[in-house]
Structure formats: C-alpha cells, structure tokens
Amino acid sequence: YADIQKLYLRETPHGSASPYQVRTLHEVLRICQGKIIVDIDFKEENKKYIANAFDLIAAENMVDEVLFFLYDHQDMKHVYSLHPTITLFPRARNRKDLNAILKSKLTSVVHIDASFQNVEHLKKLKDQGVILWMNSLGDIDKQALRQGNRVYELFLKEYPYIKIIQTDYPALWTKMLGSENK
C-alpha cells in the first residue's frame, strides 16, 4: 500500500500523470459524501471483503449515498443479508434475469444494456418505480465528445425508460440537460 500511495493517476489512459493519487475506499467515501452517489463496482469475490466494505460505508454514514453493483443477480440474497439498507443494483443480461431480480423484491435498481428492446414494457417498469440504469460509457460518450449534445439527445430518445446513466463525461451530460431545459 505504501508503494501504491506514491503513484499518480493518468490524465488519459496513455497520457501523462495527473495530480491525483490513488485513494482508499475510506478516503473516497469522505470526499464524495453529500456530493454524489457512489457506484461501488466490487470485483472481489471474497464475501469477507464485501462485508468489510459495507461496514465502512455504514460507519461513514454513506448507506444512502452508495449503490452496490452486482455482476450476478444470484448473489443478491447473500449480499443483501450482509447489510440490507445498502442499495444493490444487479446486472440483468436478459428478460429472465430482469424478472428474477424484480421478483426478489431486494432492489428496484437494475443495470440493463442496449439488448433490451421492449420499450413499452420497460416504460411500464419505470412508471412502476423500477429504476433502470444504463451506461453511455465508451462509444456513446466518445461520440458526444466529438459531435456534441445531439448524441446524448438521441440516446435519451432511444432509451426513454432509463433513469440513471453512467458516464465518463458528466459535464457534457449536465450541459446537454441544462440546454434541454431552456
């Protein structure tokens, strides 16, 4: 850890070093508290580490400011039992996964992708309080960076049921949404 503390993040994937250093989860939670919702995309399979992270989140009074991503919705019951007030948002890879997640009643936040095409069904879910999450990371964000607001406007028209969007460029989304309200 002492060696990691000496490292700096890069400005771009292959660019020069930024002024930002690698932070611990504890430090990140303190920096983000009261400012943003933190998406914890936990790649560690050892449930002991998940429990430790949940304990830290609770100790920092960040339970309402964290969404905990799960790659496999079948892990929901166990992870939920570790700390039932932290919001889970599992990934649904297909309609069967989505139905199983919603049937569990352990969360109302679900990560989907562009393969979900039944717009009317997804709009109904949104109207029922289901919060659907999708990424604009990658190609969509890169296109918007090059081509402007229109890319995000088309994204919203194509996916009108999406409530949460994960992006690498929040300032671009904010600018587009601000200009949309004028």
Side-chain angles (χ1 to χ4, degrees):
Y1 178 68
D3 289 340
I4 292 173
Q5 285 182 303
K6 297 174 190 171
L7 300 175
Y8 287 84
L9 301 174
R10 292 180 187 254
E11 290 289 345
T12 61
H14 301 289
S16 60
S18 75
Y20 306 106
Q21 293 181 281
V22 178
R23 302 290 184 140
T24 65
L25 177 58
H26 187 247
E27 292 169 327
V28 169
L29 291 173
R30 287 194 169 179
I31 290 167
C32 296
Q33 191 168 32
K35 298 174 189 162
I36 64 169
I37 300 295
V38 179
D39 163 16
I40 297 188
D41 186 341
F42 213 82
K43 305 230 184 324
E44 176 59 55
E45 291 183 23
N46 186 325
K47 304 299 188 243
K48 177 181 91 175
Y49 295 116
I50 294 173
N52 290 345
F54 281 8
D55 290 344
L56 178 60
I57 292 163
E60 289 298 318
N61 295 314
M62 293 279 296
V63 169
D64 293 334
E65 298 177 63
V66 169
L67 295 174
F68 195 88
F69 180 67
L70 294 172
Y71 289 92
D72 188 345
H73 71 88
Q74 294 179 21
D75 291 336
M76 286 176 54
K77 189 174 182 180
H78 174 73
V79 174
Y80 182 81
S81 73
L82 296 172
H83 206 293
T85 58
I86 292 177
T87 302
L88 304 177
F89 77 103
R91 181 174 183 166
R93 289 178 169 73
N94 52 50
R95 179 96 177 247
K96 182 181 172 186
D97 288 355
L98 179 59
N99 291 339
I101 291 164
L102 297 176
K103 186 178 177 182
S104 77
K105 299 194 184 297
L106 297 176
T107 189
S108 61
V109 183
V110 183
H111 181 290
I112 64 171
D113 59 36
S115 70
F116 286 79
Q117 295 294 314
N118 189 332
V119 174
E120 290 310 310
H121 174 72
L122 296 168
K123 279 183 178 178
K124 284 180 188 173
L125 290 176
K126 180 181 178 184
D127 292 343
Q128 294 168 6
V130 175
I131 300 169
L132 297 170
W133 167 301
M134 193 175 222
N135 292 331
S136 68
L137 302 171
D139 292 339
I140 300 295
D141 277 348
K142 288 176 187 172
Q143 279 182 316
L145 195 58
R146 289 189 309 270
Q147 300 170 17
N149 289 357
R150 185 76 181 135
V151 173
Y152 287 151
E153 290 166 1
L154 292 172
F155 182 89
L156 292 175
K157 282 183 182 164
E158 187 171 356
Y159 308 109
Y161 43 82
I162 297 301
K163 183 106 175 189
I164 299 175
I165 299 167
Q166 181 172 317
T167 178
D168 281 329
Y169 300 109
L172 285 179
W173 269 104
T174 301
K175 180 180 175 186
M176 188 280 296
L177 292 170
S179 67
E180 205 176 59
N181 293 326
K182 290 180 182 177

